[in-house]
Amino acid sequence: MEAIFREIGLSTEVQAWLAAFWGKSRKVGGGKINLLISHLLDSAAVAEQLWECYLAPKTRLLLNRVSGGQGKRFFMWLCAMHDCGKAIPAFQAVDAEGAAQVRAAGLNWNDKRLQKLRWRHDKAGGLLLHTVLKEHWEHSEHIDWVWPLIAGHHGAFPSKNQVLNPKKKPVEHQGTKLKGWPQAQHALIAVVTRALGYPDVAAPQPATAPSKAEQMQLSGLIIMADWIASNHQHFPGLEHISQVGLAGARDRARKAVKDLRLRGGWNTLPIPDSEDLVDARFGKPSRPFQKMLVDTVQNMAEPGIVVVEAPMGEGKSKGAFAAAEVMAARFGCDGVFMGMPTQATSDPIYTQMRSWVSDFDQDLEAQVALLHGKKMFNPQWRELWDPTAESPDADYSGVACDDFGMEDPYGSSTHTEAERFGPALWFLGRNRGLLTPFAVGTIDQLLYAATRTRHVMLRFAGLAGKVVILDEVHAADVYMSRFLTEALRWLGQAKVPVILLSATLPPAQRSSLVHAYLQGALNAVDTCDIAPVPTPEGYPSVITAHVEQGRPVMTPQSTRSWRSSEPVHLEWLPDVSDEGSHIAERVHQEAAEGGVVLVILNEVDRAQRVYEQLRGYYPGQVHLLHGRFCAAHRADRTARCVHDMGPKGERPERMIVVATQVAEQSFDVDADLLVTDLAPIDLLLQRIGRLHRHEGTSRPGHLKTPRALITGIVPDELPLRMRSVSEHIYSRYLLLRSVTLIDQARQGWSLPEQIPALVARGYDKEPLCPPELAEDEHESELEWKETECNRSAKADHFLLMRPEKWSDPTLEGLHVKSASAREEKELEAVVRDGPPTVEVLLVRYNGKGYTTLSQEWLGIHGEASEDVREAVLGGLTRLPARLTEAALDLLPLEGWKDDPWLRYFPALVLGSDGWADLGGERVRYDEELGLVTERVK
């Protein structure tokens, strides 16, 4: 560094100041002070390694475009500048040892003044860089977007007033009392800029400004580089300026990235030349719809959004993977994120994605991350981890608090990787999951990236280099849809290819999603000037939308299904009772000569009662599946149903499955007969999608015609009697419209060809019900609209961008009045509307100590050895929402406090009689029924 000092012509005094500035104290730096210049160069060197082995080609193109062809160097410069704000008295005074060396070099401050007014170094960095760049850069528009990236590197973008014009002027503004500080600060930026190969501070001036979404991506990558470079195990302190230099920083960065096993995905992916890509990847010839999808994305001129609508069982997932490969190759994406509606639907896609990416490179299989709260229960995921190692869900924070004395649980991993498979542990820390090259998880992971919460830029950076696939998008309710459309706006502006999948997408929702993406791509404040989304002429269909030369281009295409439509006969089965006696009796009759029957009910309690009656008729041939089974039992039951009723299953002579909505979608089973509670038309069709699903299935003679029996209603009475819980879940208005569509189908429905028309009629704005139900429809519609409007408005506080800020060209002020949620559990409550629920680990107490749910001994305090830990985790069970408040008082067992897997889970202890008292109810767990509750009389 001394050579650069001389080249720039720094005085001996200024050199001494720069050589004294510290960036990491001995306390958080692994026992050694790390000089500030050292940390800035370490961050730049990490950025260089990310450029070489992590960044997607499209991200490198973005940086080259912004910098006029100097993408790597400019990225290094941005990352180096992130902590320039530490060159201020408020920071340098925090650590006594560091403060002493700065004062010894000749810089001083007023301690009493500092105690009265604190000034965070992230905001100070934004001010300092703004001040310096004004002297060197000609175009203020570039200064305006760069300084917020520096001021926001602790996870929140402050406003211009908070940084450039604070109400209380920080000490650093008192120029006469801080002799030498402005000169030292300017010199620091000049020296680091020169060290990175620029001749002067004017040289990094960008050639063009990135979009706001691209700025968000760069912000996340800056934080990523900072956190990696903050790991003192890989970047130990350098206490003397003679030790500091870019060459040494590069050596440290190369070793760190290698030791942490950080890597990207495909990097540069060749455009596939196979005539049948689905066949090449999955070993089965393309169906007409899959070929149409792949051909369509091959002809897209620019990245865009692709809306895929196809029947249940059509092969949408495999088609989407093939399309994603084409889009990644053409548009420079490095990986894929696939978002699913639930945790349960994520697991089979996780298996499928692992198999798919291994076809490109076997090493990629282990790079697929599973992102949801129950991933530790997935057998494939658990196999990736040494059972004696710490939980991969632990917070590997190397920095307990920052040097300003504020908690910083977002620091970098201090965990040293052993020889193991699986995504790098660094990627699995808080906020970082989407940074893995390939990921499968709930759609929540994408929705989190559309919330105005801290470190949201990390999540967005993880999405911006990928192809994004979202399955079952119709499942997003009005509240979730606010975050989904917000996410699509940002993805559209960042030119991220997006593929949306659905079998039952209402036209209004289709238009909303496509318009949101185009709104972002066009940087339009609203969608008034965007043409209506065209309606496909057939089914299955694909609609592509992108922006070409500043104009939106939308193209619909359709083809035939791989299977012909057939009539599904509909029949009412009147029953609104809690016991469901008529349901049980009818299923008993229908299954008398054998067959596979699927019963889907809207309530757990009712499903349990129907199951109890049916198992009396057919012991051992009736199965129950719902969300209140413990994790282990639910996984076993789901696997058994898919095995016996799936495409390759050993189909039994008679099998009856009583389930709740968990069997509604992404559940690849084939039933001979369906019995279902009334539901909105799209969800009803999803349930019917489990009926006669697979070709070539042998069925009993009386069940060869697909039939659906609709219950949960008494249709021949006025006013119509429905289950009140169903009305509460779905609204009476949507249920009435479903009733009308069923009544109008005298000959049943021809499926799948009628699916789009039925969904469109169920959700359009025109009255649908017959005269005798018209008043009921009108009144319930008003109530439904008011409820939907209120639910939608609740999302406003949490949305990433306030509507009035969307046209702003920079990220300045984004986090003003931001949401406070930080933990994943808190974020789940942000993006999903409805009563919160709590998951507990069920254990038993026998008077002497604790056992697992399956009676394996734990200990007098619940101590769980490695041999029984999995059995304890298998007892994870979700409680009904009405017990949430009472469950908040539950704590982990005393013996779990040091266990990395168990210490975060509350325990619900069942007594020697098998019961526990909670929230005015008695709770027990039944091996066959799952969680059972009774009100205390």
Side-chain angles (χ1 to χ4, degrees):
M1 293 305 301
E2 289 95 336
I4 293 177
F5 290 167
R6 291 192 297 270
E7 290 173 11
I8 295 179
L10 297 182
S11 68
T12 303
E13 185 179 34
V14 175
Q15 291 184 41
W17 295 340
L18 297 187
F21 283 150
W22 60 276
K24 299 289 181 184
S25 68
R26 193 179 302 277
K27 176 183 176 183
V28 300
K32 287 185 178 182
I33 285 179
N34 198 27
L35 295 181
L36 179 55
I37 290 182
S38 174
H39 178 57
L40 300 188
L41 292 180
D42 285 342
S43 300
V46 169
E48 185 176 41
Q49 287 301 302
L50 295 180
W51 175 281
E52 298 292 347
C53 63
Y54 176 77
L55 295 188
K58 74 185 293 285
T59 306
R60 296 198 294 267
L61 285 172
L62 159 66
L63 284 160
N64 277 326
R65 171 171 58 83
V66 169
S67 64
Q70 294 286 313
K72 179 166 69 172
R73 195 185 310 277
F74 181 68
F75 182 46
M76 294 171 69
W77 182 84
L78 279 178
C79 292
M81 290 298 111
H82 80 280
D83 260 355
C84 67
K86 287 185 174 180
I88 60 171
F91 181 86
Q92 294 295 315
V94 167
D95 179 70
E97 182 181 7
Q101 81 179 25
V102 173
R103 276 180 156 152
L107 289 173
N108 217 321
W109 53 82
N110 185 318
D111 287 316
K112 291 184 178 179
R113 183 101 174 117
L114 286 183
Q115 291 175 2
K116 292 181 180 179
L117 187 59
R118 310 297 296 276
W119 184 226
R120 284 193 58 84
H121 74 264
D122 47 358
K123 294 179 182 177
L127 172 62
L128 172 56
L129 200 62
H130 183 275
T131 302
V132 172
L133 295 183
K134 278 177 60 178
E135 298 179 9
H136 296 275
W137 287 9
E138 297 178 0
H139 302 291
S140 60
E141 65 167 321
H142 296 310
I143 302 173
D144 290 342
W145 72 261
V146 168
W147 74 256
L149 304 190
I150 307 307
H153 83 268
H154 272 209
F157 296 108
S159 70
K160 182 183 297 184
N161 285 336
Q162 289 174 316
V163 174
L164 306 183
N165 302 297
K167 291 181 180 179
K168 294 183 179 181
K169 297 291 184 182
V171 180
E172 286 70 24
H173 286 206
Q174 316 300 319
T176 57
K177 296 182 180 180
L178 296 172
K179 183 178 179 181
W181 282 95
Q183 188 178 359
Q185 292 162 347
H186 286 232
L188 175 69
I189 292 175
V191 166
V192 173
T193 302
R194 186 66 170 266
L196 297 179
Y198 286 112
D200 51 42
V201 177
Q205 180 172 236
T208 185
S211 69
K212 189 160 50 187
E214 291 167 337
Q215 294 169 37
M216 181 74 80
Q217 178 187 4
L218 295 179
S219 173
L221 293 172
I222 290 170
I223 294 173
M224 182 179 180
D226 175 27
W227 287 2
I228 295 169
S230 295
N231 183 338
H232 63 76
Q233 288 187 333
H234 297 105
F235 298 90
L238 299 181
E239 299 181 312
H240 195 275
I241 195 66
S242 63
Q243 301 171 295
V244 178
L246 184 59
R250 281 171 162 157
D251 289 340
R252 286 146 64 99
R254 277 191 290 267
K255 187 175 186 305
V257 169
K258 180 180 178 181
D259 289 349
L260 290 171
R261 298 178 56 253
L262 301 178
R263 58 158 295 170
W266 285 311
N267 197 351
T268 301
L269 187 66
I271 295 176
D273 57 4
S274 173
E275 292 185 5
D276 189 338
L277 189 55
V278 172
D279 189 20
R281 295 298 180 205
F282 301 103
K284 290 185 177 180
S286 289
R287 293 169 178 170
F289 142 74
Q290 294 170 330
K291 188 176 189 310
M292 176 184 69
L293 173 58
V294 173
D295 290 346
T296 298
V297 298
Q298 284 176 334
N299 294 322
M300 290 181 69
E302 297 287 342
I305 188 169
V306 181
V307 182
V308 178
E309 297 176 62
M312 297 71 75
E314 191 76 14
K316 291 188 290 294
S317 297
K318 289 184 174 65
F321 282 143
E325 178 183 348
V326 173
M327 298 178 89
R330 296 191 62 231
F331 304 127
C333 301
D334 190 45
V336 172
F337 167 69
M338 187 156 185
M340 303 297 294
T342 64
Q343 294 174 347
T345 56
S346 299
D347 285 12
I349 293 297
Y350 170 64
T351 300
Q352 193 174 125
M353 184 181 284
R354 279 166 53 90
S355 175
W356 173 56
V357 299
S358 69
D359 194 49
F360 299 92
D361 179 349
Q362 285 194 337
D363 290 342
L364 288 180
E365 181 178 1
Q367 300 304 315
V368 182
L370 181 60
L371 304 179
H372 64 64
K374 290 199 186 79
K375 57 181 174 284
M376 72 282 290
F377 300 110
N378 181 284
Q380 286 185 309
W381 181 255
R382 291 194 62 143
E383 283 178 7
L384 299 177
W385 310 99
D386 178 354
T388 64
E390 287 191 83
S391 162
D393 303 300
D395 177 20
Y396 294 103
S397 299
V399 184
C401 64
D402 71 9
D403 287 296
F404 202 72
M406 299 192 66
E407 287 189 13
D408 179 12
Y410 305 98
S412 63
S413 166
T414 61
H415 184 81
T416 302
E417 291 263 13
E419 289 294 326
R420 45 166 292 276
F421 297 99
L425 283 175
W426 192 92
F427 286 133
L428 302 178
R430 198 178 306 167
N431 301 300
R432 307 176 208 167
L434 287 173
L435 292 168
T436 51
F438 299 94
V440 176
T442 57
I443 193 174
D444 301 50
Q445 298 295 326
L446 177 120
L447 303 183
Y448 297 158
T451 60
R452 198 162 65 251
T453 49
R454 289 184 69 86
H455 293 101
V456 65
M457 60 283 288
L458 275 168
R459 300 180 188 277
F460 190 79
L463 292 169
K466 294 180 173 64
V467 178
V468 172
I469 306 172
L470 302 178
D471 197 8
E472 313 283 10
V473 289
H474 60 270
D477 61 23
V478 67
Y479 180 84
M480 292 173 63
S481 290
R482 293 294 304 282
F483 296 100
L484 178 54
T485 53
E486 179 73 0
L488 290 175
R489 287 188 194 96
W490 286 82
L491 294 175
Q493 192 175 79
K495 299 182 179 179
V496 175
V498 175
I499 303 172
L500 306 182
L501 309 178
S502 177
T504 55
L505 189 63
Q509 192 176 9
R510 177 203 302 140
S511 295
S512 174
L513 298 175
V514 172
H515 276 167
Y517 187 94
L518 291 175
Q519 181 183 0
L522 292 165
N523 196 28
V525 178
D526 56 50
T527 58
C528 295
D529 296 329
I530 301 176
V533 177
T535 300
E537 294 182 358
Y539 184 73
S541 67
V542 172
I543 293 178
T544 63
H546 64 273
V547 171
E548 192 172 343
Q549 297 180 344
R551 298 174 62 86
V553 177
M554 290 179 276
T555 306
Q557 293 194 53
S558 57
T559 188
R560 57 184 175 82
S561 175
W562 67 279
R563 57 183 175 182
S564 59
S565 291
E566 60 180 329
V568 175
H569 292 264
L570 307 173
E571 180 181 338
W572 292 115
L573 175 54
D575 191 326
V576 292
S577 67
D578 291 337
E579 293 76 18
S581 301
H582 292 305
I583 299 171
E585 181 59 34
R586 180 62 179 272
V587 173
H588 171 220
Q589 296 171 7
E590 294 282 354
E593 298 179 23
V596 174
V597 182
L598 176 61
V599 181
I600 301 180
L601 304 176
N602 295 339
E603 306 153 60
V604 173
D605 294 343
R606 192 165 183 242
Q608 288 172 328
R609 294 185 182 110
V610 169
Y611 167 80
E612 286 186 290
Q613 296 171 69
L614 284 170
R615 69 177 175 179
Y617 294 124
Y618 300 115
Q621 296 176 307
V622 186
H623 308 271
L624 181 63
L625 184 62
H626 57 68
R628 279 193 227 152
F629 276 112
C630 69
H633 291 167
R634 179 172 170 179
D636 289 345
R637 282 159 172 74
T638 301
R640 179 171 181 179
C641 289
V642 172
H643 177 268
D644 291 351
M645 301 168 65
K648 299 179 181 179
E650 299 174 6
R651 201 170 184 84
E653 180 181 347
R654 179 187 292 110
M655 182 176 183
I656 301 170
V657 176
V658 181
T660 57
Q661 292 91 331
V662 298
E664 189 170 83
Q665 55 195 8
S666 298
F667 189 53
D668 193 8
V669 298
D670 181 341
D672 299 326
L673 175 69
L674 174 71
V675 179
T676 173
D677 266 340
L678 183 65
I681 187 62
D682 54 333
L683 303 182
L684 195 59
L685 289 166
Q686 286 285 344
R687 297 177 186 188
I688 292 174
R690 315 306 121 191
L691 181 62
H692 286 226
R693 184 180 179 95
H694 301 135
E695 280 190 332
T697 302
S698 177
R699 309 182 194 280
H702 67 296
L703 298 177
K704 287 189 179 297
T705 299
R707 288 185 295 141
L709 311 184
I710 317 298
T711 189
I713 182 173
V714 179
D716 54 358
E717 295 183 8
L718 290 177
L720 290 180
R721 280 199 295 143
M722 306 177 188
R723 291 285 297 173
S724 60
V725 173
S726 295
E727 290 190 36
H728 175 73
I729 296 171
Y730 299 120
S731 86
R732 183 174 179 85
Y733 170 66
L734 294 180
L735 295 179
L736 283 171
R737 293 177 75 88
S738 287
V739 169
T740 301
L741 290 170
I742 294 168
D743 277 338
Q744 290 175 351
R746 295 184 177 86
Q747 303 300 321
W749 292 330
S750 180
L751 302 179
E753 66 179 349
Q754 278 190 272
I755 288 178
L758 287 167
V759 174
R761 294 190 66 201
Y763 281 92
D764 68 22
K765 297 178 181 179
E766 298 300 319
L768 178 65
C769 296
E772 62 270 22
L773 296 178
E775 183 177 354
D776 197 348
E777 180 187 23
H778 176 68
E779 291 177 357
S780 61
E781 180 185 17
L782 294 177
E783 182 179 347
W784 175 71
K785 285 183 175 178
E786 181 181 5
T787 301
E788 294 287 275
C789 183
N790 291 337
R791 292 181 66 201
S792 177
K794 286 171 60 178
D796 287 345
H797 176 64
F798 300 106
L799 283 178
L800 180 54
M801 180 59 69
R802 297 182 294 280
E804 68 273 13
K805 299 281 288 182
W806 180 252
S807 59
D808 291 356
T810 77
L811 296 169
E812 173 267 324
L814 178 72
H815 279 90
V816 174
K817 298 180 181 179
S818 61
S820 60
R822 289 185 175 185
E823 301 287 348
E824 292 267 323
K825 292 180 180 178
E826 293 175 341
L827 279 171
E828 183 178 343
V830 167
V831 300
R832 288 187 182 259
D833 190 25
T837 57
V838 173
E839 290 183 308
V840 297
L841 287 175
L842 296 177
V843 295
R844 303 183 189 275
Y845 186 75
N846 60 14
K848 298 180 180 179
Y850 297 93
T851 69
T852 69
L853 199 58
S854 54
Q855 305 288 356
E856 296 174 78
W857 175 250
L858 295 178
I860 58 174
H861 300 296
E863 302 86 346
S865 67
E866 294 169 9
D867 295 336
V868 297
R869 181 192 287 147
E870 189 162 351
V872 178
L873 289 169
L876 188 69
T877 308
R878 188 174 294 276
L879 299 177
R882 63 180 181 272
L883 297 180
T884 295
E885 185 174 353
L888 294 178
D889 295 328
L890 299 176
L891 299 172
L893 295 184
E894 178 67 21
W896 296 350
K897 64 181 180 181
D898 296 322
D899 189 294
W901 293 86
L902 304 177
R903 60 189 176 195
Y904 302 111
F905 290 104
L908 179 59
V909 181
L910 306 177
S912 55
D913 62 351
W915 290 89
D917 293 327
L918 186 68
E921 297 190 35
R922 301 193 73 210
V923 179
R924 68 180 176 90
Y925 189 85
D926 185 282
E927 293 281 331
E928 292 192 52
L929 297 176
L931 196 75
V932 178
T933 64
E934 292 181 5
R935 294 195 177 276
V936 177
K937 297 180 181 180

mmCIF file of all heavy atoms in Angstrom, residues 625 633-646 667:
data_model
loop_
_atom_site.group_PDB
_atom_site.id
_atom_site.type_symbol
_atom_site.label_atom_id
_atom_site.label_comp_id
_atom_site.label_asym_id
_atom_site.label_seq_id
_atom_site.Cartn_x
_atom_site.Cartn_y
_atom_site.Cartn_z
ATOM 1 N N LEU A 625 -55.716 -38.890 6.239
ATOM 2 C CA LEU A 625 -54.609 -37.995 5.931
ATOM 3 C C LEU A 625 -55.066 -36.553 6.134
ATOM 4 O O LEU A 625 -56.019 -36.098 5.499
ATOM 5 C CB LEU A 625 -54.155 -38.208 4.482
ATOM 6 C CG LEU A 625 -52.932 -37.428 4.007
ATOM 7 C CD1 LEU A 625 -51.698 -37.808 4.811
ATOM 8 C CD2 LEU A 625 -52.694 -37.672 2.514
ATOM 9 N N HIS A 633 -45.785 -39.403 10.960
ATOM 10 C CA HIS A 633 -46.968 -40.148 10.529
ATOM 11 C C HIS A 633 -47.533 -39.586 9.230
ATOM 12 O O HIS A 633 -47.975 -40.349 8.360
ATOM 13 C CB HIS A 633 -48.038 -40.114 11.621
ATOM 14 C CG HIS A 633 -47.660 -40.903 12.832
ATOM 15 N ND1 HIS A 633 -48.328 -40.804 14.031
ATOM 16 C CD2 HIS A 633 -46.659 -41.800 13.037
ATOM 17 C CE1 HIS A 633 -47.765 -41.608 14.911
ATOM 18 N NE2 HIS A 633 -46.753 -42.220 14.331
ATOM 19 N N ARG A 634 -47.526 -38.274 9.093
ATOM 20 C CA ARG A 634 -48.060 -37.680 7.857
ATOM 21 C C ARG A 634 -47.199 -38.084 6.664
ATOM 22 O O ARG A 634 -47.728 -38.417 5.594
ATOM 23 C CB ARG A 634 -48.120 -36.163 7.981
ATOM 24 C CG ARG A 634 -48.648 -35.514 6.703
ATOM 25 C CD ARG A 634 -48.883 -34.044 6.892
ATOM 26 N NE ARG A 634 -49.168 -33.400 5.618
ATOM 27 C CZ ARG A 634 -49.431 -32.096 5.471
ATOM 28 N NH1 ARG A 634 -49.459 -31.318 6.522
ATOM 29 N NH2 ARG A 634 -49.676 -31.590 4.278
ATOM 30 N N ALA A 635 -45.884 -38.071 6.860
ATOM 31 C CA ALA A 635 -44.999 -38.468 5.763
ATOM 32 C C ALA A 635 -45.228 -39.926 5.381
ATOM 33 O O ALA A 635 -45.290 -40.273 4.196
ATOM 34 C CB ALA A 635 -43.542 -38.242 6.164
ATOM 35 N N ASP A 636 -45.373 -40.804 6.373
ATOM 36 C CA ASP A 636 -45.596 -42.228 6.105
ATOM 37 C C ASP A 636 -46.919 -42.444 5.377
ATOM 38 O O ASP A 636 -46.996 -43.228 4.418
ATOM 39 C CB ASP A 636 -45.595 -43.021 7.413
ATOM 40 C CG ASP A 636 -44.200 -43.121 8.028
ATOM 41 O OD1 ASP A 636 -43.219 -42.844 7.316
ATOM 42 O OD2 ASP A 636 -44.111 -43.452 9.225
ATOM 43 N N ARG A 637 -47.964 -41.766 5.841
ATOM 44 C CA ARG A 637 -49.278 -41.958 5.236
ATOM 45 C C ARG A 637 -49.327 -41.401 3.814
ATOM 46 O O ARG A 637 -49.929 -42.003 2.921
ATOM 47 C CB ARG A 637 -50.351 -41.295 6.110
ATOM 48 C CG ARG A 637 -50.700 -42.126 7.336
ATOM 49 C CD ARG A 637 -51.354 -41.286 8.430
ATOM 50 N NE ARG A 637 -51.851 -42.124 9.508
ATOM 51 C CZ ARG A 637 -51.076 -42.720 10.409
ATOM 52 N NH1 ARG A 637 -49.764 -42.575 10.348
ATOM 53 N NH2 ARG A 637 -51.590 -43.462 11.375
ATOM 54 N N THR A 638 -48.700 -40.254 3.604
ATOM 55 C CA THR A 638 -48.662 -39.681 2.259
ATOM 56 C C THR A 638 -47.926 -40.613 1.313
ATOM 57 O O THR A 638 -48.370 -40.873 0.189
ATOM 58 C CB THR A 638 -47.989 -38.299 2.283
ATOM 59 O OG1 THR A 638 -48.718 -37.431 3.167
ATOM 60 C CG2 THR A 638 -47.950 -37.683 0.887
ATOM 61 N N ALA A 639 -46.779 -41.107 1.773
ATOM 62 C CA ALA A 639 -45.979 -42.007 0.935
ATOM 63 C C ALA A 639 -46.756 -43.270 0.594
ATOM 64 O O ALA A 639 -46.695 -43.765 -0.545
ATOM 65 C CB ALA A 639 -44.674 -42.354 1.643
ATOM 66 N N ARG A 640 -47.497 -43.803 1.561
ATOM 67 C CA ARG A 640 -48.253 -45.024 1.304
ATOM 68 C C ARG A 640 -49.363 -44.771 0.289
ATOM 69 O O ARG A 640 -49.598 -45.593 -0.614
ATOM 70 C CB ARG A 640 -48.852 -45.565 2.599
ATOM 71 C CG ARG A 640 -49.679 -46.828 2.368
ATOM 72 C CD ARG A 640 -50.089 -47.502 3.633
ATOM 73 N NE ARG A 640 -50.855 -48.721 3.340
ATOM 74 C CZ ARG A 640 -51.327 -49.542 4.256
ATOM 75 N NH1 ARG A 640 -51.093 -49.309 5.543
ATOM 76 N NH2 ARG A 640 -52.034 -50.599 3.917
ATOM 77 N N CYS A 641 -50.058 -43.637 0.427
ATOM 78 C CA CYS A 641 -51.136 -43.324 -0.514
ATOM 79 C C CYS A 641 -50.591 -43.175 -1.935
ATOM 80 O O CYS A 641 -51.167 -43.709 -2.891
ATOM 81 C CB CYS A 641 -51.837 -42.028 -0.095
ATOM 82 S SG CYS A 641 -52.852 -42.188 1.405
ATOM 83 N N VAL A 642 -49.480 -42.440 -2.070
ATOM 84 C CA VAL A 642 -48.900 -42.240 -3.394
ATOM 85 C C VAL A 642 -48.404 -43.562 -3.963
ATOM 86 O O VAL A 642 -48.538 -43.834 -5.167
ATOM 87 C CB VAL A 642 -47.764 -41.197 -3.325
ATOM 88 C CG1 VAL A 642 -47.016 -41.123 -4.645
ATOM 89 C CG2 VAL A 642 -48.322 -39.824 -2.957
ATOM 90 N N HIS A 643 -47.844 -44.416 -3.101
ATOM 91 C CA HIS A 643 -47.351 -45.718 -3.571
ATOM 92 C C HIS A 643 -48.495 -46.596 -4.068
ATOM 93 O O HIS A 643 -48.432 -47.186 -5.146
ATOM 94 C CB HIS A 643 -46.600 -46.427 -2.453
ATOM 95 C CG HIS A 643 -46.116 -47.802 -2.824
ATOM 96 N ND1 HIS A 643 -46.877 -48.938 -2.582
ATOM 97 C CD2 HIS A 643 -44.992 -48.230 -3.445
ATOM 98 C CE1 HIS A 643 -46.216 -49.998 -3.038
ATOM 99 N NE2 HIS A 643 -45.077 -49.594 -3.550
ATOM 100 N N ASP A 644 -49.558 -46.685 -3.275
ATOM 101 C CA ASP A 644 -50.655 -47.593 -3.616
ATOM 102 C C ASP A 644 -51.566 -47.030 -4.698
ATOM 103 O O ASP A 644 -52.141 -47.790 -5.492
ATOM 104 C CB ASP A 644 -51.492 -47.898 -2.373
ATOM 105 C CG ASP A 644 -50.738 -48.754 -1.367
ATOM 106 O OD1 ASP A 644 -49.642 -49.241 -1.712
ATOM 107 O OD2 ASP A 644 -51.231 -48.931 -0.246
ATOM 108 N N MET A 645 -51.716 -45.689 -4.745
ATOM 109 C CA MET A 645 -52.657 -45.071 -5.680
ATOM 110 C C MET A 645 -51.959 -44.327 -6.805
ATOM 111 O O MET A 645 -52.618 -43.701 -7.645
ATOM 112 C CB MET A 645 -53.564 -44.092 -4.931
ATOM 113 C CG MET A 645 -54.374 -44.731 -3.805
ATOM 114 S SD MET A 645 -55.164 -43.495 -2.749
ATOM 115 C CE MET A 645 -56.309 -42.734 -3.887
ATOM 116 N N GLY A 646 -50.624 -44.349 -6.830
ATOM 117 C CA GLY A 646 -49.879 -43.598 -7.815
ATOM 118 C C GLY A 646 -49.762 -44.329 -9.136
ATOM 119 O O GLY A 646 -50.274 -45.444 -9.312
ATOM 120 N N PHE A 667 -50.779 -33.956 -5.666
ATOM 121 C CA PHE A 667 -50.926 -35.237 -4.969
ATOM 122 C C PHE A 667 -51.227 -36.266 -6.049
ATOM 123 O O PHE A 667 -52.367 -36.429 -6.476
ATOM 124 C CB PHE A 667 -52.062 -35.116 -3.955
ATOM 125 C CG PHE A 667 -52.204 -36.286 -3.008
ATOM 126 C CD1 PHE A 667 -51.133 -36.736 -2.255
ATOM 127 C CD2 PHE A 667 -53.440 -36.917 -2.847
ATOM 128 C CE1 PHE A 667 -51.273 -37.803 -1.379
ATOM 129 C CE2 PHE A 667 -53.589 -37.967 -1.973
ATOM 130 C CZ PHE A 667 -52.505 -38.413 -1.236
#
